[in-house]
Amino acid sequence: MKQLLDSVWQRRGVSWIWDDEALSIVTKPVEVYSLRELLRAAKKWPVDLPSNSGNTLVVAGLDACLDLLAPADADGWLANELKSAILSFQDEYSGEAALVFWLPAGHRRFHTDMATDAVRWRCSAPHADQQIEFGRLLWGEAREYPQEIILSEGGKPVGLFHLRIT
């Protein structure tokens, strides 16, 4: 998987981050939307986004939502509800804003198949032996993306970035 050592993820595209430093770069805690607020906002997006000088919307709670759903239900919800909200966001801001999902344990939950770059989400108990086909459901396994976000040369990945989901 390609690595991204660039700040573009802070202003454009869709990212899933799990690093505290990366989070603090783009938002303050009071500016973070809940997943419920994101789904509500998808009906009428705000003119001004709350974070990063109006360039970014940070959302928390996706991990908790996925943990509460059975894997089959999570598949359907990701492919329909969440993807619809992401596409609506991209359309509303013409690709000129960033949607960032905060997943504090994401580094332990995302699994990338090195041979195919397929990205999967490891489910929690009682479904800990299953994985959700995260990449296939949200971005259709586009090979150019996602990219691993790194904050410094040689640094560990702090998230995943996708410029535009179709």
Side-chain angles (χ1 to χ4, degrees):
M1 183 176 290
K2 292 182 182 178
Q3 291 190 325
L4 175 70
L5 177 59
D6 188 304
S7 63
V8 67
W9 67 273
Q10 299 168 26
R11 300 177 310 280
R12 293 196 172 106
V14 184
S15 299
W16 296 267
I17 62 170
W18 50 79
D19 180 81
D20 292 340
E21 182 182 353
L23 180 67
S24 69
I25 289 171
V26 292
T27 196
K28 298 176 185 130
V30 299
E31 299 168 344
V32 176
Y33 272 41
S34 69
L35 189 58
R36 179 177 288 180
E37 288 173 307
L38 169 74
L39 296 175
R40 229 182 275 138
K43 295 175 181 155
K44 185 175 182 342
W45 291 107
V47 174
D48 297 315
L49 295 174
S51 299
N52 196 24
S53 302
N55 291 311
T56 307
L57 177 61
V58 178
V59 179
L62 176 58
D63 49 347
C65 180
L66 294 175
D67 287 347
L68 291 172
L69 295 169
D73 295 333
D75 282 358
W77 184 82
L78 280 171
N80 296 309
E81 303 302 319
L82 186 61
K83 187 169 182 174
S84 177
I86 291 170
L87 294 173
S88 173
F89 179 89
Q90 290 177 159
D91 289 345
E92 178 67 23
Y93 300 103
S94 303
E96 298 296 318
L99 179 58
V100 177
F101 291 92
W102 167 240
L103 301 160
H107 66 285
R108 292 191 309 263
R109 306 289 298 276
F110 278 116
H111 171 71
T112 303
D113 183 312
M114 298 304 230
T116 65
D117 280 345
V119 176
R120 296 178 186 92
W121 177 263
R122 292 183 181 143
C123 298
S124 66
H127 308 287
D129 61 334
Q130 297 179 50
Q131 296 183 4
I132 297 168
E133 296 288 335
F134 200 85
R136 181 182 56 77
L137 296 166
L138 289 181
W139 58 80
E141 301 293 359
R143 293 294 179 236
E144 305 143 23
Y145 293 103
Q147 297 176 34
E148 291 180 321
I149 300 167
I150 57 172
L151 299 180
S152 61
E153 193 68 45
K156 291 183 179 181
V158 298
L160 298 173
F161 167 74
H162 199 299
L163 183 59
R164 185 162 181 85
I165 291 178
T166 57

